[in-house]
Amino acid sequence: MTIVVGVTGGIAAYKAVGVIRGFVLQGHDVHVIATEAALRFVGRPTFEAISRNPINTDLYEGVAQVRHVAIGQSADLIVIAPATANTIAKLALGLADDLLTNTVLVSTAPIVIAPAMHTEMWQNAATVANIAILRERRFTIVGPASGQLTGTDSGVGRMEEPEAITAAALSVLEKSAVPERAEGPTRTAEAPGDLSGKHVVVTAGGTREPLDPVRFLGNRSSGRQGVAIAQAALNRGATVTLIAAHIEVHPPAGATLVEVATALELQRAVTDAAASADIIVMAAAVADYRPASVQQAKIKKTETHAPLNIELVENPDILAELSAAERHGRVIVGFAAETEPDTDALLTLGQQKLARKGCDYLVINRVGWSTGFVSESNEIIMLDSSGDIVMKASGDKLSVADRILDVIASR
Ligand code: C5P
């Protein structure tokens, strides 16, 4: 496939080299368009050596071949990494003042962008609005991640790691080009807007149940899979409410964010949002129990060294309640994170849980000390309401999210 990689002028341009290399190693024909500013960070020979093609920068070179049209028409996929706030603003407005923005306007290929900028720039209302416009136009936005920025400060705005960008971009390319080989419903290039007009409510992360002002009972859910579902739903045109309990990743721009701490807060938030929801995906790890009473002062160690007993009371089962309530046609999806190593036993556990919860679909994934919760990828089995397997998927959490939405959208 022909992939055009646009590199714009941010320090993360050095990481674009890894993105280009990832595509080349997978056998793609990569053509780099670097802006003048990008070439202040990384030199032309580096891009040419890694991409194995001459790079393109100037709109006024090779005018006789109308290069922006030629490159734009030949691209199967355009990936812009890093995408600066300036380029994002130009793309949102449809400006065309350099070779890259001209090429984007010519092309009908899917476009993936990996923003990179300081936190303040990413959170600026102008950038938020521009990103929302690009999402509406079906651009796929990968990242940004949170962490150390260029200076001594840290926060959200770091470009995603090259491997994550390459994986997300190739999954977009695969979906736009050929039917997927995995089991279950597949989706074609028309699908990106298939959730347009739908309100999707996603819960993500893990609740924390306080014991005293400084301690809680919690779990290791990072919220990555739930956030990926929210992002994938946005990419497909949905209006998204993300109910987030202590997520470790940045929520996607464009989603309405409701932050909650405990299971009872999550219950309130999801019940409010459910009223207008068409689809509810309960990806959050909700505590089944909470301390019967919350101490107002820090619990002290006793002099007797006697064991400390904490009484727990059961939390409401939000998923079961939502499923039992009047549905008005809304689709409800639950998650089951299980440590069971045997696949048949895992399936049985999932089927039993589905019967208890009464939801339309259940997504089963195996979790353990090092799998599931905090990892970037996932492996899932999706059951329908009769307990039959409707889909199996594995891969990065964004592509798994899309497979889950494929099933829901095909309903
Ligand atoms: O029973 P278990 O916690 O394994 O069920 C997991 C599913 O049920 C998830 O979709 C989770 O969001 C939901 N859940 C819930 N309320 C609870 C516990 C779990 O909605 N109290």
Side-chain angles (χ1 to χ4, degrees):
M1 293 282 174
T2 301
I3 301 179
V4 170
V5 178
V7 186
T8 68
I11 184 66
Y14 80 92
K15 291 208 276 183
V17 175
V19 176
I20 297 162
R21 189 160 173 74
F23 292 138
V24 171
L25 290 180
Q26 299 218 24
H28 298 285
D29 184 24
V30 181
H31 295 268
V32 175
I33 301 180
T35 62
E36 290 296 336
L39 293 179
R40 289 174 181 245
F41 291 98
V42 179
R44 181 184 283 268
T46 304
F47 289 130
E48 296 199 332
I50 300 296
S51 71
R52 304 177 185 170
N53 274 316
I55 73 157
N56 308 277
T57 50
D58 190 351
L59 189 57
Y60 301 103
E61 261 172 32
V63 173
Q65 294 98 45
V66 202
R67 280 201 312 151
H68 61 286
V69 176
I71 301 170
Q73 286 176 345
S74 69
D76 296 304
L77 173 74
I78 297 182
V79 180
I80 305 178
T84 58
N86 180 52
T87 295
I88 288 168
K90 288 200 280 183
L91 295 172
L93 276 176
L95 290 179
D97 65 348
D98 58 16
L99 184 61
L100 178 59
T101 45
N102 272 278
T103 303
V104 167
L105 285 189
V106 167
S107 173
T108 54
I111 303 178
V112 176
I113 69 167
M117 65 197 75
H118 261 74
T119 309
E120 294 82 350
M121 296 173 77
W122 174 248
Q123 289 174 344
N124 186 289
T127 309
V128 171
N130 291 333
I131 288 287
I133 290 172
L134 296 184
R135 282 195 202 285
E136 252 171 52
R137 292 195 203 135
R138 317 281 169 255
F139 282 49
T140 300
I141 321 288
V142 183
S146 208
Q148 183 78 47
L149 300 172
T150 318
T152 52
D153 48 348
S154 62
V156 64
R158 260 174 84 84
M159 190 173 89
E160 259 302 354
E161 291 310 312
E163 300 72 32
I165 298 170
T166 312
L170 290 178
S171 122
V172 169
L173 182 64
E174 192 183 337
K175 283 180 181 118
S176 72
V178 288
E180 291 179 57
R181 275 186 301 277
E183 295 168 52
T186 56
R187 150 172 113 83
T188 60
E190 290 82 63
D194 58 2
L195 293 181
S196 152
K198 302 286 179 205
H199 179 200
V200 179
V201 175
V202 184
T203 68
T207 61
R208 290 181 183 175
E209 309 297 324
L211 286 157
D212 68 21
V214 294
R215 302 187 181 98
F216 57 82
L217 291 177
N219 60 71
R220 291 172 52 235
S221 175
S222 66
R224 281 185 173 80
Q225 186 62 73
V227 167
I229 292 169
Q231 163 123 46
L234 283 166
N235 293 345
R236 300 166 79 129
T239 302
V240 175
T241 301
L242 176 65
I243 298 172
H246 311 286
I247 56 174
E248 287 168 21
V249 285
H250 196 63
T256 301
L257 179 69
V258 183
E259 289 183 285
V260 295
T262 63
L264 292 180
E265 284 180 27
L266 191 139
Q267 180 191 34
R268 222 166 296 131
V270 83
T271 309
D272 286 350
S276 61
D278 299 295
I279 297 164
I280 303 176
V281 182
M282 296 284 290
V286 182
D288 292 326
Y289 294 93
R290 66 180 183 279
S293 62
V294 180
Q295 302 305 311
Q296 292 312 309
K298 195 175 157 196
I299 301 167
K300 294 275 182 278
K301 202 151 84 173
T302 61
E303 295 301 320
T304 60
H305 306 293
L308 175 67
N309 292 312
I310 294 170
E311 195 190 351
L312 301 177
V313 292
E314 209 175 333
N315 273 327
D317 193 318
I318 307 161
L319 176 59
E321 283 179 1
L322 285 172
S323 303
E326 184 57 67
R327 295 272 193 100
H328 303 290
R330 90 183 44 104
V331 181
I332 302 178
V333 183
F335 267 67
E338 299 290 350
T339 49
E340 173 57 58
D342 178 71
T343 302
D344 288 340
L346 183 73
L347 258 177
T348 307
L349 281 177
Q351 283 155 346
Q352 289 164 347
K353 182 160 296 184
L354 187 80
R356 276 200 312 276
K357 305 272 184 180
C359 46
D360 297 301
Y361 296 104
L362 190 79
V363 177
I364 310 172
N365 68 317
R366 206 176 270 134
V367 292
W369 293 108
S370 59
T371 51
F373 277 158
V374 284
S375 83
E376 298 293 339
S377 59
N378 211 356
E379 189 174 342
I380 58 137
I381 301 172
M382 191 164 173
L383 305 181
D384 67 10
S385 56
S386 29
D388 293 330
I389 297 176
V390 281
M391 191 268 287
K392 286 179 179 177
S394 60
D396 66 279
K397 288 185 172 173
L398 187 60
S399 51
V400 167
D402 256 322
R403 299 298 321 283
I404 294 168
L405 293 180
D406 288 348
V407 173
I408 301 169
S410 70
R411 219 177 130 94

